[in-house]
Amino acid sequence: MHFEQRTVTCGKLRPEHAGQQVVLNGWVNARRDYGGIIFLDIRDRDGVTQAVVDTSHRADLGEQIREVRSEYVIWVKGAVRMRENPNPNISTGLIEILADDIGVINPADVTPFEIVDDLGTNEELRLTYRYLDLRRPILQKNFFTRNKLSQITHRFFEEEGFVEIETPVLTKSTPEGARDFLVPSRINKGRFYALPQSPQLFKQLLMVSGFDKYMQIVKCFRDEDLRADRQPEFTQIDVEMSFITQEDILGLTERFIKKAWKEILDYDVTVPFLRMPFKEALERYGSDKPDLRYGLELTNVTEIARSSSFTVFSESVASGNVVMALNAKGCATFSRKQIDELGEHAKKYGAKGLPWLKVSGSEVTGSFVKLVNDAERDELLTAMNAVDGDLLLFFPGEWERACTVAGALRTEVAKRTGVLASVAGTYSFHWVTEFPLLEYSEEESRWIARHHPFTAPMIDDVALLSVDPTHARAIAHDLVINGYEAAGGSVRIHTNDVQTKMFDLLGFEREDADAKFGFLLNALRFGAPPHGGIAFGFDRLVMLLCGTDNIRDVIAFPKTTSGLSLMDGCPSDVDAQQLTNLGIALSKL
RNA sequence: GGGAUCGUAGCUCAGCUGGUUAGAGCGCUGCCCUGUCAAGGCAGAGGUCGCGGGUUCGAGCCCCGUCGGUCCCGCCA
């Protein structure tokens, strides 16, 4: 079809262009037809410009655009002129194009949903027609932000002396950590590549090679269940550096985040970030990635509970557990039903119940108020700074579990009371450090690495490894932004003997460790420099910068929470011949 | 692996304790209209109530199964 090529995009024209002859190309955003005069809003990625077809100006044009409807691709030629009635809502609202000529480049069927920003359409349909969903300006904006962060990242790390090196996508399956996506090998039947969960070992090997400072914006793959902020394939900014201490990694990260927030949001980030040991984060906020934009801190009331006449408390403490507590400020107005809902929420996180007290005027009521004497009751109130109107929630249980449940309720209370909404548009950045190196897996009856098995223990805690591994801390660091784990990393083990010891501790037989990680253990024998690094969740950073809590809003073609792509229908069946070539037979499902 | 919730017109939804011909707004189609930008007026088309089975005289509604979306727990070194 004939079309005249644009001379300008749809967001550029301003009053100073009045009188100029221009050509626009784009999609019809809206048609407003008055018979003798027809308005067409033309949209491209740059904006929207109004074109006017005036039949008193060109009598034939009305017929020419008779069929033109929303989402037709058209061209319009005409002169820029000032509007009689300006539209303050769009950047080109002061001007319009008086059409001298106009033509259809490509017609469009009626779209399954309207291409507007405030769309109520369900995500299922949007993902099926993702290419139409992506026409919406609000979504396009996210991808311009994503691109901007990508460019800033490359620029920043290059200026800091980093070299970007690509690591393999077809790699070796490793037993620790997330489930791998497997790729069958045709040439080596019965054997499989794994898609990388992260380039962890490769970047460490690059340090052994002497590249000193490596970075990569890289796709990673984890075959685990999805969430609002988790996709099976996602993008990381992967960073590793040599001859450094943890301080160097934290400092570098702070400079990077400060630059990104400044350039994209013109937001001044204060550095250095607050640092909080893992234990403190759990104890005060009930999470290893707490949202510090608001308070609502927890209180540990274990010592008061120890001698409580409320046996749920005293027996919990007697068995070595704790009692954590949350003062839900101003929530005494919650109905019995609302408190029950909080109880249900607590149960999801493994709580058995949710003891509570309510302070209304001089009266204290609650689920266990009759079981404790006034002195103990007042002691609890004092410890928690309770005043009239407060609702107090209690969480007896094993320390980490109790803290986690309390933390989940802290978030829930912040949501319900509007505290969370009140901090929208603000940011809190902090480090969580001193993570436990190991945790005991009841399921596997062995120690497993909390971060990963290549994380170095804190110098002070090396001696603990052989006597009290539970309390050994790692030189690890998570960057938390608004309650999201935005980045995580560590200083790595760089000697063969410590790495061997670590594998011993994790219950690997020597032969087994050699078979799985022998290449790393070998590399550490040939002069590995001390090194460490960090990996940023690129998609999550973009989410935060775009102000969305849905990771699918910043990934062009995402999967649903069951791992399907509704648009192209993957994963899909394959031909029997393909399976034969790979030496694969499917068992009955 | 588990829990919650949703699926009715192209879209967003309503549809009572099961009861005649399943409704509304937007969109769509046609006509009218020269200053709108959520245009307006008039008229009209459009439904296998996700799918399969069951209960019942009768099912959008109840039961069982199944597919799919979303959110969460487990999981995510």
Side-chain angles (χ1 to χ4, degrees), chain A residues 433-450:
Chain A
T433 57
E434 299 180 34
F435 282 87
L437 184 67
L438 303 163
E439 60 189 337
Y440 194 75
S441 166
E442 299 292 344
E443 202 175 312
E444 298 179 52
S445 307
R446 67 175 184 96
W447 293 101
I448 57 173
R450 184 145 193 147

Side-chain angles (χ1 to χ4, degrees), chain A residues 174-192:
Chain A
T174 54
E176 295 280 297
R179 274 184 283 265
D180 290 321
F181 279 100
L182 296 178
V183 179
S185 167
R186 177 183 57 82
I187 299 168
N188 305 282
K189 285 194 180 44
R191 289 156 76 180
F192 296 82

Side-chain angles (χ1 to χ4, degrees), chain A residues 65-84:
Chain A
I65 61 158
R66 232 172 76 83
E67 59 163 278
V68 170
R69 294 293 182 272
S70 290
E71 302 309 316
Y72 272 50
V73 185
I74 64 168
W75 60 269
V76 185
K77 181 158 81 177
V80 180
R81 71 176 185 190
M82 300 303 290
R83 287 200 193 191
E84 282 177 31

Side-chain angles (χ1 to χ4, degrees), chain A residues 277-279 399-400 433-440 447-452 455-476 493 498 501-502 505-506:
Chain A
F278 167 82
K279 213 177 153 188
W399 178 75
E400 188 166 347
T433 57
E434 299 180 34
F435 282 87
L437 184 67
L438 303 163
E439 60 189 337
Y440 194 75
W447 293 101
I448 57 173
R450 184 145 193 147
H451 185 49
H452 57 52
T455 303
M458 288 176 69
I459 314 274
D460 294 346
D461 294 357
V462 172
L464 284 175
L465 288 182
S466 40
V467 291
D468 182 17
T470 324
H471 291 105
R473 292 163 299 169
I475 313 179
I493 296 168
V498 176
K501 218 174 279 172
M502 178 62 80
L505 206 54
L506 295 174

Side-chain angles (χ1 to χ4, degrees), chain A residues 42-111:
Chain A
I42 320 294
R43 182 193 68 242
D44 64 16
R45 75 175 207 191
D46 199 36
V48 171
T49 302
Q50 172 169 285
V52 186
V53 173
D54 188 337
T55 47
S56 67
H57 175 68
R58 281 289 306 267
D60 55 321
L61 288 188
E63 188 55 32
Q64 211 159 313
I65 61 158
R66 232 172 76 83
E67 59 163 278
V68 170
R69 294 293 182 272
S70 290
E71 302 309 316
Y72 272 50
V73 185
I74 64 168
W75 60 269
V76 185
K77 181 158 81 177
V80 180
R81 71 176 185 190
M82 300 303 290
R83 287 200 193 191
E84 282 177 31
N85 304 307
N87 179 353
N89 299 320
I90 59 175
S91 62
T92 61
L94 291 172
I95 56 89
E96 64 190 7
I97 310 296
L98 177 63
D100 289 322
D101 204 356
I102 192 164
V104 172
I105 299 169
N106 203 355
D109 287 353
V110 175
T111 51

Side-chain angles (χ1 to χ4, degrees), chain A residues 251-382:
Chain A
L252 175 87
T253 298
E254 287 165 357
R255 291 196 295 282
F256 170 61
I257 292 293
K258 188 176 174 66
K259 184 184 176 78
W261 254 253
K262 182 65 185 174
E263 290 196 17
I264 293 174
L265 297 177
D266 195 26
Y267 186 100
D268 288 304
V269 175
T270 306
V271 294
F273 301 156
L274 177 73
R275 295 185 201 178
M276 188 178 291
F278 167 82
K279 213 177 153 188
E280 183 185 340
L282 262 290
E283 187 92 8
R284 288 176 63 189
Y285 300 99
S287 170
D288 62 357
K289 47 181 167 59
D291 187 341
L292 296 194
R293 288 175 298 172
Y294 57 92
L296 278 177
E297 288 195 33
L298 310 181
T299 313
N300 188 330
V301 296
T302 305
E303 287 315 311
I304 301 171
R306 186 181 300 281
S307 55
S308 178
S309 47
F310 181 35
T311 53
V312 170
F313 282 2
S314 50
E315 283 174 11
S316 174
V317 178
S319 63
N321 288 336
V322 301
V323 179
M324 299 302 296
L326 170 69
N327 182 346
K329 300 299 285 181
C331 293
T333 52
F334 276 24
S335 65
R336 188 54 202 254
K337 180 164 171 278
Q338 286 173 298
I339 294 174
D340 284 347
E341 284 168 4
L342 293 179
E344 286 307 307
H345 195 71
K347 277 181 189 159
K348 281 201 293 194
Y349 290 82
K352 293 197 179 68
L354 182 61
W356 55 275
L357 293 176
K358 209 188 239 190
V359 188
S360 313
S362 56
E363 200 187 7
V364 178
T365 55
S367 61
F368 64 97
V369 72
K370 292 194 177 73
L371 302 174
V372 297
N373 60 37
D374 288 2
E376 182 187 338
R377 186 197 68 193
D378 291 343
E379 208 180 341
L380 287 170
L381 262 51
T382 305

Side-chain angles (χ1 to χ4, degrees), chain A residues 470-496:
Chain A
T470 324
H471 291 105
R473 292 163 299 169
I475 313 179
H477 36 260
D478 277 3
L479 170 64
V480 181
I481 308 179
N482 293 4
Y484 286 96
E485 183 191 333
S490 61
V491 171
R492 327 296 182 188
I493 296 168
H494 70 282
T495 62
N496 176 285

